[in-house]
């Protein structure tokens, strides 16, 4: 089974969304975990946006790189632009992919905020769909 590590800045929003989508699209064909350079509680706007897409990330917990870096991964995905993608050393030789996504912003009102989060959620979903079917389980 393939192992995927998704890295965000604080493991609150984009990396949590990506973890939810990647689990959904890889089904039982990959072990997926996310972590951040720092850790903070899961963004409630992100959890709400994902629930609108029928993916529940509300019970996922934020983790730091130090908590998950004792494992060997097949893929390491950055969902932000790191200063250096080689700045963190990993066990083995994972394929490192940098796919930055814009940080969702709170809008002037709830409708605007929801739209900002939905746009990022959908971009992350499209990436995870393509990644899962390119590297984990081919579409037939």
């Amino acid at each position: 089974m393939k192992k995927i590590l998704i890295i965000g800045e604080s493991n609150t929003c984009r990396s949590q969304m990506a973890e939810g989508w990647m689990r959904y699209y890889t089904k039982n064909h990959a072990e997926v975990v996310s972590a951040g350079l720092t850790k903070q509680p899961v963004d409630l706007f992100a959890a709400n946006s994902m629930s609108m897409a029928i993916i529940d990330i509300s019970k996922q917990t934020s983790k730091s790189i130090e908590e998950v870096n004792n494992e060997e991964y097949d893929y390491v995905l950055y969902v932000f632009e790191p200063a250096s993608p080689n700045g963190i050393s990993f066990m083995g030789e994972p394929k490192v992919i940098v796919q930055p996504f814009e940080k969702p912003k709170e809008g002037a009102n709830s409708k605007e905020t929801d739209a900002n989060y939905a746009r990022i959620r959908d971009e992350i979903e499209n990436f995870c769909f393509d990644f899962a079917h390119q590297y984990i389980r081919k579409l037939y």
Side-chain angles (χ1 to χ4, degrees):
M1 181 180 301
K2 300 289 185 185
K3 292 180 76 174
I4 303 167
L5 173 61
I6 301 167
I7 302 176
E9 291 172 291
S10 57
N11 196 219
T12 62
C13 183
R14 295 168 290 175
S15 54
Q16 293 286 352
M17 287 177 162
E19 179 181 347
W21 283 122
M22 199 64 77
R23 285 178 188 225
Y24 178 79
Y25 284 119
T26 62
K27 302 290 185 222
N28 298 322
H29 299 286
E31 182 181 324
V32 182
V33 65
S34 67
L37 302 180
T38 62
K39 71 179 193 178
Q40 296 175 11
V42 175
D43 182 325
L44 296 179
F45 290 115
N48 181 59
S49 183
M50 290 294 287
S51 73
M52 300 303 255
I54 319 300
I55 303 289
D56 184 7
I57 65 168
S58 65
K59 293 177 181 55
Q60 290 178 195
T61 58
S62 182
K63 296 165 284 310
S64 69
I65 287 291
E66 291 79 20
E67 294 175 72
V68 299
N69 206 13
N70 58 346
E71 300 278 332
E72 196 167 316
Y73 298 96
D74 297 290
Y75 302 97
V76 173
L77 310 175
Y78 286 90
V79 293
F80 71 103
E81 190 69 54
S84 169
N86 300 320
I88 300 170
S89 60
F90 300 99
M91 295 175 64
E93 295 184 20
K95 179 173 179 62
V96 176
I97 298 169
V98 177
Q99 177 57 59
F101 295 98
E102 181 183 335
K103 286 183 184 180
K105 300 174 188 76
E106 289 187 44
N109 56 52
S110 63
K111 189 174 184 176
E112 192 174 290
T113 298
D114 290 346
N116 287 331
Y117 276 79
R119 180 178 53 78
I120 302 302
R121 176 200 67 213
D122 294 347
E123 289 175 8
I124 292 171
E125 178 187 12
N126 290 337
F127 170 78
C128 290
F129 176 88
D130 291 343
F131 178 91
H133 294 106
Q134 180 177 355
Y135 295 107
I136 308 300
R137 51 190 297 252
K138 305 284 186 209
L139 283 174
Y140 299 103

